[in-house]
Amino acid sequence: MQVISSYGVCCTIHQFNNPTLLSTQQAEFIKHGHSRNWLFQNKGSSLVHKPVRFNCARIAASNFGNVDELQSDYPGNYEEEDIQVTTAIQIKNLTEEIKHMLSSMGDGRSSVSPYDTAWVSFIRDTNINGSSERPLFPSCLKWIEDNQLPDGSWGEELVFCIYDRLLNTLACVVALTLWNTSLRKRNKGVMFIKENLSKLETGEVENMTCGFEFVFPALLEKAQKLDIDIPYDVPVLMEIYARREAKFTSHTSYCRIPKDVIHTIPTTVLFSLEGLRDLDWQRLLKLQMQDGSFLTSPASTAIAFMETNDQKCLGFLQNVVEKCNGGVPHSYPVDMQARLWAIDRLQRLGISYYFAEEFKQLLDHVSRYWNEEIGIFGGRNSNFCDVDDTCMAIRLLRLHGFDVSPDVLNKFKDGDQFFCLRGELNKSPTAMYNLYRCSQALFPGEKILEEAKNFTYNFLQQCLANNQSSDKWVIAKDIPGEMQYALEFPWYASLPRVESRLYIEQYGGADDIWIGKTLYRMPDVSNNVYLQAAKLDYNRCQSQHRFEWLIMQEWYEKCNFQHFGISKKYLLVSYFLAAASTFEVEKSRERLAWAKSRIICKMITSYFNEEATDWTTRNSLLMELKGFHDMSKNSNKTKEMVLNNLRQFLHQLSKATYEDLGREIHHQLHNAWETWLMSLREEKNTCQEEAELLVQTIYLSAGHMKHDEILFDAEYNSLSILTNKICRMLNELQNDKISADQWCSRTTGSSKATDIELDMQALVNLVFGNYSSNVNQDIKQIFFAVAKTFYYTTHITEEVIDFHISKVLFQQV
């Protein structure tokens, strides 16, 4: 495989197909006839290195430092270059397609529901003269006639769920019988029902469609009145009738909601009115949504219109039939859900940086309909909301600079428990998973999010322990894997590229299916275009990372860092942390600046701890860096090595930034490092300002000029002080050997761990709580990214880091 960097350096990497290894890359710089690089691979639970071979074309690469002297007879391979260009074109085409999808989302796209389409087709046209009857919406009947599956059923074609197939098929058979059309298709549908009714006995309860035991018997009653030849007295149906009657005759009704409450406030019952009886329709009309629907359900709205002749109901149905060309969806609109879940998926897949402008427009739409009293629902302007959409909105709006309060989550709390929908019989693991993710983006003092975090953490742990992660709302590829990752790597410890690498494997693309009254698909959220773009972009970025890792190794040897006790493993971890945090191909300079800064810091602190044991010796290093002392007068070889490596690093970074961006950062970069050296000079055993130094170096290398007055800005100082404190305490906690399990389970009792959590909340508030401050949002994000790398390395074991390195840097997807 050929790797081409953004600077035009062309390298060939040979990958072995050894199934016993997580990854194997061979590379060797050929420089003056000497091998200068290593192979890192997983072997058991640890990374090992060994000499390998690499060929590098003779192209100037001074931007990477110490590689401009590389020479090789490697002729170049234009075929591989063509592949790289083709990949870039493919990514561009896919991202343009995604941009079009996002910008044209409108009311949200959802697959057609044969069940809802049939209910709308039941409506009679009362405006015609004469005795003949016809449907008010003939296009719905036409859709049913045109979309029967080969086996005689209607419903989700690729996933067979007996509840979905029987409900959809019975509804369509009733529609065809009602209007006395397509007799052959009707009979074929009846035959399918007869042959498959018994499968209800073995159907998985987890995949039972919503309200099945209410809406299916209601359809059976319609079918019986039309004399459709179906066995109505088989045992499995009798059991369903019995369960329905038990709920109808008890003190509570559907979903444990008192009957009087059904007519008083919006509840989930409004979504399935067609399955209920003995309703006071005039009272229910007061619970109608602004668009005329009952909780966005075409079927529920259809029965309401047939019972009341309400013109707002009719207006909703006319609009949805027209917009959807005859076949209506399970819910309409789904604009909130489509926008929020699309953003979430694209972020987790690692390609959100292509869609910043589109995300802003999508979230502006969500913010416009955000209701701080009740939250939001899948469709806008709903008078009933759920925790799933609400917590997704809180998290995404907050992290994109919108001012939202999580206090609305109190509406979804009953005692010490949280629920998705009031009156629900069992909790949804995915809804609690999304609430858990939301709860981690808390600001100091937000008690409701702290309570949500504790409850959902324990709930998800029990789900996994009891193998109960099947969800009632969605059939997805790897829900347990998503939950496991969230529990093992809380947000503070989740590096972007690690999450993306694993989520690309967990995301089902177009195969993910939602469960409502029927199964349905949401192409705005689950599609193969997202997945294909994510894979191509991931591998493209990874190729750049592999190349930079080779550069890092060459730099390591030339600078003789092993003299300071810096291992090749530490070099690899340092580069990995940078690459896993800022991964875009065009951010090569920032990434290398981050990784190299960690090594230079390690070199200097090692020198201070081992050799510069007194203040005068440490001060002389600073003075010589400033040019106040002549280094030639001092014969200390180690100090000379330290100064040479530091000066060369600062010079090359300044030069690269100027050549690439036309930004002169020399003065500010030197000031940042001199300030750090002054703080280090005063306390040889600690490096309290290292986090801020990393932030400033990364920020400057990106071409962002830092005005001197920002150093006196109160918010910047708070960011700096807090981040340095957090990172110092994380290092101390790591030395205390407190395990990640103890930390996560909150059993450690360590006041230091508690302090870190509170300080991280404060940092989140500083970074995401005030987008209109004087401090540039980019530098805020860098502070947070650096803090997360310290949190990550403290939180997880060396074995897990090794696994992530192999996954992120060396395994293609």
Side-chain angles (χ1 to χ4, degrees), residues 659-680:
E659 290 178 348
D660 295 342
L661 304 175
R663 299 281 185 154
E664 178 53 72
I665 66 169
H666 174 85
H667 175 71
Q668 291 185 320
L669 188 61
H670 272 256
N671 281 348
W673 280 82
E674 289 168 7
T675 300
W676 176 73
L677 283 171
M678 283 190 285
S679 71
L680 190 62

PDB file of all heavy atoms in Angstrom, residues 659-680:
ATOM      1  N   GLU A 659       5.660  28.837   6.109  1.00  0.00           N
ATOM      2  CA  GLU A 659       5.647  28.420   4.707  1.00  0.00           C
ATOM      3  C   GLU A 659       4.262  27.949   4.271  1.00  0.00           C
ATOM      4  O   GLU A 659       3.847  28.189   3.136  1.00  0.00           O
ATOM      5  CB  GLU A 659       6.672  27.303   4.487  1.00  0.00           C
ATOM      6  CG  GLU A 659       8.116  27.779   4.592  1.00  0.00           C
ATOM      7  CD  GLU A 659       9.114  26.647   4.413  1.00  0.00           C
ATOM      8  OE1 GLU A 659       8.678  25.470   4.436  1.00  0.00           O
ATOM      9  OE2 GLU A 659      10.317  26.935   4.257  1.00  0.00           O
ATOM     10  N   ASP A 660       3.540  27.290   5.169  1.00  0.00           N
ATOM     11  CA  ASP A 660       2.231  26.749   4.804  1.00  0.00           C
ATOM     12  C   ASP A 660       1.123  27.783   4.881  1.00  0.00           C
ATOM     13  O   ASP A 660       0.221  27.808   4.038  1.00  0.00           O
ATOM     14  CB  ASP A 660       1.868  25.567   5.716  1.00  0.00           C
ATOM     15  CG  ASP A 660       2.806  24.392   5.527  1.00  0.00           C
ATOM     16  OD1 ASP A 660       3.495  24.345   4.497  1.00  0.00           O
ATOM     17  OD2 ASP A 660       2.846  23.517   6.411  1.00  0.00           O
ATOM     18  N   LEU A 661       1.179  28.630   5.892  1.00  0.00           N
ATOM     19  CA  LEU A 661       0.056  29.526   6.172  1.00  0.00           C
ATOM     20  C   LEU A 661       0.408  30.998   6.113  1.00  0.00           C
ATOM     21  O   LEU A 661      -0.469  31.848   6.234  1.00  0.00           O
ATOM     22  CB  LEU A 661      -0.529  29.213   7.565  1.00  0.00           C
ATOM     23  CG  LEU A 661      -0.988  27.769   7.793  1.00  0.00           C
ATOM     24  CD1 LEU A 661      -1.415  27.581   9.241  1.00  0.00           C
ATOM     25  CD2 LEU A 661      -2.137  27.408   6.860  1.00  0.00           C
ATOM     26  N   GLY A 662       1.697  31.301   5.950  1.00  0.00           N
ATOM     27  CA  GLY A 662       2.107  32.699   5.943  1.00  0.00           C
ATOM     28  C   GLY A 662       2.000  33.354   7.310  1.00  0.00           C
ATOM     29  O   GLY A 662       1.896  34.580   7.414  1.00  0.00           O
ATOM     30  N   ARG A 663       2.040  32.546   8.374  1.00  0.00           N
ATOM     31  CA  ARG A 663       1.922  33.044   9.740  1.00  0.00           C
ATOM     32  C   ARG A 663       3.268  32.957  10.448  1.00  0.00           C
ATOM     33  O   ARG A 663       3.878  31.896  10.494  1.00  0.00           O
ATOM     34  CB  ARG A 663       0.895  32.217  10.513  1.00  0.00           C
ATOM     35  CG  ARG A 663      -0.498  32.284   9.919  1.00  0.00           C
ATOM     36  CD  ARG A 663      -1.199  33.567  10.298  1.00  0.00           C
ATOM     37  NE  ARG A 663      -2.571  33.616   9.850  1.00  0.00           N
ATOM     38  CZ  ARG A 663      -3.519  34.325  10.415  1.00  0.00           C
ATOM     39  NH1 ARG A 663      -3.233  35.051  11.473  1.00  0.00           N
ATOM     40  NH2 ARG A 663      -4.747  34.337   9.927  1.00  0.00           N
ATOM     41  N   GLU A 664       3.712  34.068  10.996  1.00  0.00           N
ATOM     42  CA  GLU A 664       4.979  34.108  11.720  1.00  0.00           C
ATOM     43  C   GLU A 664       4.689  33.891  13.209  1.00  0.00           C
ATOM     44  O   GLU A 664       4.152  34.770  13.888  1.00  0.00           O
ATOM     45  CB  GLU A 664       5.670  35.458  11.512  1.00  0.00           C
ATOM     46  CG  GLU A 664       6.977  35.609  12.258  1.00  0.00           C
ATOM     47  CD  GLU A 664       7.934  34.469  11.971  1.00  0.00           C
ATOM     48  OE1 GLU A 664       8.471  34.408  10.855  1.00  0.00           O
ATOM     49  OE2 GLU A 664       8.119  33.623  12.893  1.00  0.00           O
ATOM     50  N   ILE A 665       5.024  32.702  13.709  1.00  0.00           N
ATOM     51  CA  ILE A 665       4.705  32.365  15.097  1.00  0.00           C
ATOM     52  C   ILE A 665       5.966  32.254  15.962  1.00  0.00           C
ATOM     53  O   ILE A 665       5.869  31.883  17.137  1.00  0.00           O
ATOM     54  CB  ILE A 665       3.914  31.042  15.181  1.00  0.00           C
ATOM     55  CG1 ILE A 665       4.795  29.852  14.730  1.00  0.00           C
ATOM     56  CG2 ILE A 665       2.632  31.112  14.371  1.00  0.00           C
ATOM     57  CD1 ILE A 665       4.184  28.495  15.031  1.00  0.00           C
ATOM     58  N   HIS A 666       7.121  32.566  15.393  1.00  0.00           N
ATOM     59  CA  HIS A 666       8.385  32.344  16.098  1.00  0.00           C
ATOM     60  C   HIS A 666       8.394  32.997  17.480  1.00  0.00           C
ATOM     61  O   HIS A 666       8.715  32.360  18.485  1.00  0.00           O
ATOM     62  CB  HIS A 666       9.550  32.870  15.251  1.00  0.00           C
ATOM     63  CG  HIS A 666      10.871  32.807  15.952  1.00  0.00           C
ATOM     64  ND1 HIS A 666      11.649  31.666  15.955  1.00  0.00           N
ATOM     65  CD2 HIS A 666      11.560  33.738  16.670  1.00  0.00           C
ATOM     66  CE1 HIS A 666      12.749  31.895  16.650  1.00  0.00           C
ATOM     67  NE2 HIS A 666      12.724  33.139  17.097  1.00  0.00           N
ATOM     68  N   HIS A 667       8.041  34.264  17.532  1.00  0.00           N
ATOM     69  CA  HIS A 667       8.120  35.002  18.791  1.00  0.00           C
ATOM     70  C   HIS A 667       7.158  34.420  19.832  1.00  0.00           C
ATOM     71  O   HIS A 667       7.556  34.162  20.984  1.00  0.00           O
ATOM     72  CB  HIS A 667       7.793  36.480  18.536  1.00  0.00           C
ATOM     73  CG  HIS A 667       7.731  37.305  19.788  1.00  0.00           C
ATOM     74  ND1 HIS A 667       8.850  37.635  20.525  1.00  0.00           N
ATOM     75  CD2 HIS A 667       6.658  37.860  20.442  1.00  0.00           C
ATOM     76  CE1 HIS A 667       8.478  38.361  21.581  1.00  0.00           C
ATOM     77  NE2 HIS A 667       7.168  38.508  21.551  1.00  0.00           N
ATOM     78  N   GLN A 668       5.909  34.206  19.456  1.00  0.00           N
ATOM     79  CA  GLN A 668       4.938  33.697  20.411  1.00  0.00           C
ATOM     80  C   GLN A 668       5.241  32.269  20.837  1.00  0.00           C
ATOM     81  O   GLN A 668       5.037  31.896  21.995  1.00  0.00           O
ATOM     82  CB  GLN A 668       3.532  33.763  19.798  1.00  0.00           C
ATOM     83  CG  GLN A 668       3.018  35.192  19.635  1.00  0.00           C
ATOM     84  CD  GLN A 668       1.585  35.222  19.148  1.00  0.00           C
ATOM     85  OE1 GLN A 668       1.207  34.430  18.284  1.00  0.00           O
ATOM     86  NE2 GLN A 668       0.781  36.120  19.700  1.00  0.00           N
ATOM     87  N   LEU A 669       5.746  31.466  19.915  1.00  0.00           N
ATOM     88  CA  LEU A 669       6.089  30.087  20.240  1.00  0.00           C
ATOM     89  C   LEU A 669       7.238  30.044  21.252  1.00  0.00           C
ATOM     90  O   LEU A 669       7.186  29.298  22.246  1.00  0.00           O
ATOM     91  CB  LEU A 669       6.468  29.336  18.962  1.00  0.00           C
ATOM     92  CG  LEU A 669       6.680  27.823  19.091  1.00  0.00           C
ATOM     93  CD1 LEU A 669       5.406  27.140  19.559  1.00  0.00           C
ATOM     94  CD2 LEU A 669       7.134  27.241  17.750  1.00  0.00           C
ATOM     95  N   HIS A 670       8.268  30.859  21.033  1.00  0.00           N
ATOM     96  CA  HIS A 670       9.387  30.905  21.978  1.00  0.00           C
ATOM     97  C   HIS A 670       8.932  31.411  23.340  1.00  0.00           C
ATOM     98  O   HIS A 670       9.364  30.893  24.381  1.00  0.00           O
ATOM     99  CB  HIS A 670      10.509  31.784  21.421  1.00  0.00           C
ATOM    100  CG  HIS A 670      11.472  31.033  20.558  1.00  0.00           C
ATOM    101  ND1 HIS A 670      12.723  30.659  20.984  1.00  0.00           N
ATOM    102  CD2 HIS A 670      11.357  30.570  19.279  1.00  0.00           C
ATOM    103  CE1 HIS A 670      13.350  30.010  20.031  1.00  0.00           C
ATOM    104  NE2 HIS A 670      12.539  29.938  18.968  1.00  0.00           N
ATOM    105  N   ASN A 671       8.061  32.417  23.336  1.00  0.00           N
ATOM    106  CA  ASN A 671       7.565  32.938  24.610  1.00  0.00           C
ATOM    107  C   ASN A 671       6.823  31.872  25.402  1.00  0.00           C
ATOM    108  O   ASN A 671       6.967  31.773  26.631  1.00  0.00           O
ATOM    109  CB  ASN A 671       6.635  34.129  24.372  1.00  0.00           C
ATOM    110  CG  ASN A 671       7.396  35.408  24.098  1.00  0.00           C
ATOM    111  OD1 ASN A 671       8.618  35.476  24.294  1.00  0.00           O
ATOM    112  ND2 ASN A 671       6.692  36.432  23.634  1.00  0.00           N
ATOM    113  N   ALA A 672       6.023  31.062  24.706  1.00  0.00           N
ATOM    114  CA  ALA A 672       5.266  30.008  25.390  1.00  0.00           C
ATOM    115  C   ALA A 672       6.204  29.003  26.042  1.00  0.00           C
ATOM    116  O   ALA A 672       6.013  28.611  27.197  1.00  0.00           O
ATOM    117  CB  ALA A 672       4.336  29.313  24.398  1.00  0.00           C
ATOM    118  N   TRP A 673       7.228  28.588  25.313  1.00  0.00           N
ATOM    119  CA  TRP A 673       8.152  27.593  25.867  1.00  0.00           C
ATOM    120  C   TRP A 673       9.046  28.199  26.955  1.00  0.00           C
ATOM    121  O   TRP A 673       9.378  27.524  27.935  1.00  0.00           O
ATOM    122  CB  TRP A 673       8.981  26.975  24.736  1.00  0.00           C
ATOM    123  CG  TRP A 673       8.196  25.928  24.013  1.00  0.00           C
ATOM    124  CD1 TRP A 673       7.269  26.119  23.023  1.00  0.00           C
ATOM    125  CD2 TRP A 673       8.225  24.520  24.251  1.00  0.00           C
ATOM    126  NE1 TRP A 673       6.726  24.926  22.622  1.00  0.00           N
ATOM    127  CE2 TRP A 673       7.299  23.915  23.358  1.00  0.00           C
ATOM    128  CE3 TRP A 673       8.956  23.705  25.110  1.00  0.00           C
ATOM    129  CZ2 TRP A 673       7.088  22.541  23.327  1.00  0.00           C
ATOM    130  CZ3 TRP A 673       8.748  22.314  25.074  1.00  0.00           C
ATOM    131  CH2 TRP A 673       7.813  21.757  24.183  1.00  0.00           C
ATOM    132  N   GLU A 674       9.435  29.443  26.795  1.00  0.00           N
ATOM    133  CA  GLU A 674      10.238  30.079  27.833  1.00  0.00           C
ATOM    134  C   GLU A 674       9.435  30.254  29.118  1.00  0.00           C
ATOM    135  O   GLU A 674       9.960  30.071  30.231  1.00  0.00           O
ATOM    136  CB  GLU A 674      10.758  31.432  27.330  1.00  0.00           C
ATOM    137  CG  GLU A 674      11.841  31.294  26.265  1.00  0.00           C
ATOM    138  CD  GLU A 674      12.137  32.607  25.557  1.00  0.00           C
ATOM    139  OE1 GLU A 674      11.599  33.652  25.992  1.00  0.00           O
ATOM    140  OE2 GLU A 674      12.890  32.586  24.558  1.00  0.00           O
ATOM    141  N   THR A 675       8.164  30.588  28.988  1.00  0.00           N
ATOM    142  CA  THR A 675       7.303  30.705  30.161  1.00  0.00           C
ATOM    143  C   THR A 675       7.189  29.364  30.874  1.00  0.00           C
ATOM    144  O   THR A 675       7.238  29.287  32.111  1.00  0.00           O
ATOM    145  CB  THR A 675       5.898  31.198  29.750  1.00  0.00           C
ATOM    146  OG1 THR A 675       6.024  32.465  29.124  1.00  0.00           O
ATOM    147  CG2 THR A 675       4.983  31.308  30.958  1.00  0.00           C
ATOM    148  N   TRP A 676       7.040  28.300  30.104  1.00  0.00           N
ATOM    149  CA  TRP A 676       6.965  26.968  30.701  1.00  0.00           C
ATOM    150  C   TRP A 676       8.274  26.607  31.405  1.00  0.00           C
ATOM    151  O   TRP A 676       8.267  26.056  32.508  1.00  0.00           O
ATOM    152  CB  TRP A 676       6.631  25.942  29.626  1.00  0.00           C
ATOM    153  CG  TRP A 676       6.633  24.532  30.125  1.00  0.00           C
ATOM    154  CD1 TRP A 676       5.703  23.939  30.929  1.00  0.00           C
ATOM    155  CD2 TRP A 676       7.622  23.527  29.859  1.00  0.00           C
ATOM    156  NE1 TRP A 676       6.046  22.636  31.182  1.00  0.00           N
ATOM    157  CE2 TRP A 676       7.219  22.351  30.532  1.00  0.00           C
ATOM    158  CE3 TRP A 676       8.805  23.505  29.121  1.00  0.00           C
ATOM    159  CZ2 TRP A 676       7.954  21.172  30.488  1.00  0.00           C
ATOM    160  CZ3 TRP A 676       9.535  22.330  29.071  1.00  0.00           C
ATOM    161  CH2 TRP A 676       9.114  21.178  29.752  1.00  0.00           C
ATOM    162  N   LEU A 677       9.395  26.918  30.764  1.00  0.00           N
ATOM    163  CA  LEU A 677      10.685  26.616  31.385  1.00  0.00           C
ATOM    164  C   LEU A 677      10.887  27.391  32.693  1.00  0.00           C
ATOM    165  O   LEU A 677      11.486  26.882  33.635  1.00  0.00           O
ATOM    166  CB  LEU A 677      11.820  26.935  30.408  1.00  0.00           C
ATOM    167  CG  LEU A 677      12.048  25.905  29.289  1.00  0.00           C
ATOM    168  CD1 LEU A 677      13.044  26.443  28.276  1.00  0.00           C
ATOM    169  CD2 LEU A 677      12.541  24.583  29.866  1.00  0.00           C
ATOM    170  N   MET A 678      10.358  28.600  32.735  1.00  0.00           N
ATOM    171  CA  MET A 678      10.469  29.372  33.978  1.00  0.00           C
ATOM    172  C   MET A 678       9.685  28.712  35.105  1.00  0.00           C
ATOM    173  O   MET A 678      10.145  28.657  36.249  1.00  0.00           O
ATOM    174  CB  MET A 678       9.979  30.810  33.754  1.00  0.00           C
ATOM    175  CG  MET A 678      10.978  31.683  33.020  1.00  0.00           C
ATOM    176  SD  MET A 678      10.530  33.438  33.016  1.00  0.00           S
ATOM    177  CE  MET A 678       9.203  33.441  31.821  1.00  0.00           C
ATOM    178  N   SER A 679       8.481  28.201  34.778  1.00  0.00           N
ATOM    179  CA  SER A 679       7.696  27.521  35.813  1.00  0.00           C
ATOM    180  C   SER A 679       8.371  26.222  36.227  1.00  0.00           C
ATOM    181  O   SER A 679       8.370  25.858  37.405  1.00  0.00           O
ATOM    182  CB  SER A 679       6.280  27.243  35.314  1.00  0.00           C
ATOM    183  OG  SER A 679       6.273  26.236  34.323  1.00  0.00           O
ATOM    184  N   LEU A 680       8.983  25.549  35.283  1.00  0.00           N
ATOM    185  CA  LEU A 680       9.671  24.297  35.587  1.00  0.00           C
ATOM    186  C   LEU A 680      10.938  24.549  36.387  1.00  0.00           C
ATOM    187  O   LEU A 680      11.314  23.754  37.253  1.00  0.00           O
ATOM    188  CB  LEU A 680       9.998  23.571  34.270  1.00  0.00           C
ATOM    189  CG  LEU A 680      10.515  22.139  34.376  1.00  0.00           C
ATOM    190  CD1 LEU A 680       9.488  21.238  35.024  1.00  0.00           C
ATOM    191  CD2 LEU A 680      10.880  21.611  32.992  1.00  0.00           C
TER     192      LEU A 680
END
